[in-house]
């Protein structure tokens, strides 16, 4: 697997574009399109929230289509809690895209992120759609789409890799936006991955869904899951590799590369959580089963007390222990070791279920880094899990406490 | 039921005292004793955290004793994650109390709150125990015990009521300390209720435990549950009411008064959450069952986004809806109405599953109050639940992000 500056535009069968359709106050792209002229197979993972935005409901139906040709994304408005009008607007968007690109509306997926409870500014969106459909064929800024889907994100999130399957090149490229919450209302986590791998729809789904459980489902910015969370993968199947139709060696290579792409995007989201000053990684290792290891890791990463302690570079192992203790997992702490680790080194602070004396200056130096790792080693099994998050800061409160107006 | 300035000392059969045993930096009481010379029956509820402090493990065993005569509480150190030495220290404390009060060590309950992972300063505690046991008989400051159990609490929490059962007076008095987290490590929620009601141990437990589910179990400061959370009730059975040995009219009157006491203490804890500027109350009403109504109410009260919005007096109904949506409860929002309410009035912001236009000035006025209520009216059943919490503020991050040293 080679990590390259590969964007959606570099993957055969796809064009991408982001334009400013005046949907947000900031002067930046805010309407995005992925266009697969000859169609793509797709798979998607959608929010578990009972309250689902109109485009999510729309996509959950259309994702089964064997031939997706366009994915439209607007920022600035989530089209959530907007009732029947909101759903009709989603359909109108799909129809307009279809008209301008001369495709079927069932071949369009629609995504929105931004304020909830307000109807989409359809006049601006429809003008934007006309423009974006015209310009997509000859658009040269490969990074404009990653900017267009941003809301409170402070930087665009994109990554691409290339791999070889029996000597044939296959590309994967992805973009994402953060789970932080938009001023004035909630936003969402969105991820879009494209690839040219020659694979069946079944196998694409089989590769994709487990990688979500190890990436986007293992991050937490504030524990809140939104009405619009969506991650979609598309494949143009233009690569020359032998068709993957079972879980063979090439399938595994692809899945591994996909997991890398998704984890990197997920980490970018965690590190760019609202107000965050650092990326936290939690490794629960040598535990008796993976499912519980995941629960333990996520309980630590979502604990406000732990997150606030990391903001203060405080080696507060007690909060980590406590967060595992109330996670619902029944464990015995008497084999547990805890470590803090970063670019400045690694230090053990807890051993076999008991606190130990450690060098406070050293631990402070470790915790002041921008990326900090917590290791919980249970020494009782062969399973591990990793979760990512960020610290809880003054700026988180500031951003989320501010008035909607 | 009459609400009076009734303290533990006013309830027949009990003496209480708080002294400064130099266990904390602040110059304030930090060692507390409840003394029931002629014994009391007891019931307790303890933390669900897998990691339980030594005194919690000790109490879970001794609470079954029919004759509790002393309850000791120290602040400043939680005696959690302290291994066998910690448990032995708990036993030594009980033995010393027993020696000085000339009772059995099995008749003592032991409670600790404060820093975790550090052994108790036994020299100071043992000196304190000698002093407290000597002074308890002739101590006059009825409020010293409520101060002695405080950690990061900004004010003591106490309440008392008197009720009449068939013309006979019965008293209930309680104290509590907050679930906020102590500098430098986690603290805990502690509650101690005493009464003189003539009741069997079985019936005392039957009255007590359900009131916990409606009070202390319905508050959230930061979603973290600690290693030491404990609530204990004692009855001296000195009141002249006819013995309560079944769920009769008098049992229900007592239970109702007990629920009032526990809810008031729980609300004091929520309002005094670390860094909190206001008390939030969430009422989920007219829902189809109580269990799910509770889950919905607690999901709102623990949402960081909702809590931060209330700090900013922001009428962000979208976050409330979202928090219910990810609670795990499957509901349909199409009958749901949302209201904000306070001393300044009440306003509807969401109706039958859709946002409505509301007066922004009015809602701001309502939300700027110190006590704010959210009402989620589902109009689909007869069950309700109430939860309490506080806003998420800069000071929460400051208190919990600060260094341990």
């Amino acid at each position: 697997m080679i990590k390259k500056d590969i964007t959606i535009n570099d993957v055969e069968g796809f064009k991408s574009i982001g334009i400013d359709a005046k949907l947000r106050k900031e002067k930046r792209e805010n309407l995005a399109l992925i266009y697969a002229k000859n169609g793509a197979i797709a798979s998607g993972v959608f929010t578990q929230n009972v309250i689902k935005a109109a485009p999510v409901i729309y996509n959950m139906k259309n994702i089964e289509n064997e031939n997706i040709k366009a994915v439209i994304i607007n920022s600035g408005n989530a089209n959530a809690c907007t009732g029947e009008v909101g759903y009709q607007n989603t359909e109108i968007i799909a129809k307009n895209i279809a008209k301008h690109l001369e495709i079927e509306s069932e071949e369009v997926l629609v995504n929105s992120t931004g304020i909830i409870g307000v109807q989409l500014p359809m006049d601006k969106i429809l003008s934007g759609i006309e423009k974006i459909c015209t310009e997509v064929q000859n658009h040269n800024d490969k990074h404009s789409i990653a900017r267009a889907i941003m809301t409170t994100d402070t930087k665009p999130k994109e990554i691409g890799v290339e791999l070889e399957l029996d000597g044939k090149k296959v590309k994967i490229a992805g973009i994402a936006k953060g789970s932080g919450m938009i001023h004035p209302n909630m936003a969402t986590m969105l991820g879009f991955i494209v690839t040219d791998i020659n694979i069946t729809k079944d196998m694409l789904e089989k590769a994709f869904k487990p990688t979500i459980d190890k990436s986007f489902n293992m991050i937490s910015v504030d524990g809140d899951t939104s009405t619009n969370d969506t991650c979609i993968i598309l494949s143009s199947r233009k690569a020359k590799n032998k068709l993957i139709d079972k879980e063979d060696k090439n399938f595994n290579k692809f899945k591994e590369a996909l997991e890398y792409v998704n984890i990197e995007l997920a980490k970018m989201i965690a590190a760019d959580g609202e107000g965050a000053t650092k990326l936290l990684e939690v490794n629960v290792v040598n535990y008796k089963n993976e499912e519980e290891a995941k629960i333990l890791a996520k309980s630590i990463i979502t604990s406000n007390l732990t997150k606030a302690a990391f903001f203060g570079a405080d080696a507060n192992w007690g909060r980590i222990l406590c967060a595992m203790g109330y996670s619902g997992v029944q464990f015995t702490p008497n084999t547990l070791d805890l470590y803090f680790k970063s670019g400045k080194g690694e230090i053990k602070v807890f051993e076999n279920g008991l606190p130990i004396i450690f060098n406070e200056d050293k631990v402070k130096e470790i915790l002041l880094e921008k990326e900090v790792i917590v290791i919980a080693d249970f020494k009782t099994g062969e399973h591990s899990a990793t979760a990512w998050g960020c610290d809880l800061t003054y700026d988180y409160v500031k951003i989320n406490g501010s008035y909607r107006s």
Side-chain angles (χ1 to χ4, degrees), chain A residues 326-345:
Chain A
Y326 65 70
S327 67
V329 172
Q330 296 299 318
F331 65 89
T332 41
N334 56 337
T335 59
L336 176 64
D337 297 346
L338 287 180
Y339 301 81
F340 293 118
K341 186 179 169 184
S342 78
K344 294 290 183 188

Side-chain angles (χ1 to χ4, degrees), chain A residues 236-294:
Chain A
S236 65
R237 304 202 272 192
K238 296 277 185 189
K240 300 288 183 291
N241 66 293
K242 184 168 163 279
L243 179 73
I244 295 175
D245 57 3
K246 58 177 181 295
E247 295 185 40
D248 56 13
K249 182 170 61 75
N250 284 347
F251 173 87
N252 289 329
K253 277 179 86 170
F254 170 64
K255 189 177 161 188
E256 192 184 311
L258 194 55
E259 186 173 299
Y260 171 80
V261 165
N262 287 347
I263 285 178
E264 289 305 305
L265 288 172
K267 284 166 71 174
M268 290 180 210
I269 289 173
D272 197 22
E274 280 178 341
T277 71
K278 59 183 74 191
L279 174 68
L280 307 181
E281 177 173 318
V282 174
N283 297 323
V284 172
V285 301
N286 298 316
Y287 193 72
K288 59 191 175 189
N289 69 68
E290 190 183 341
E291 211 39 60
E292 291 189 341
K294 276 185 178 176

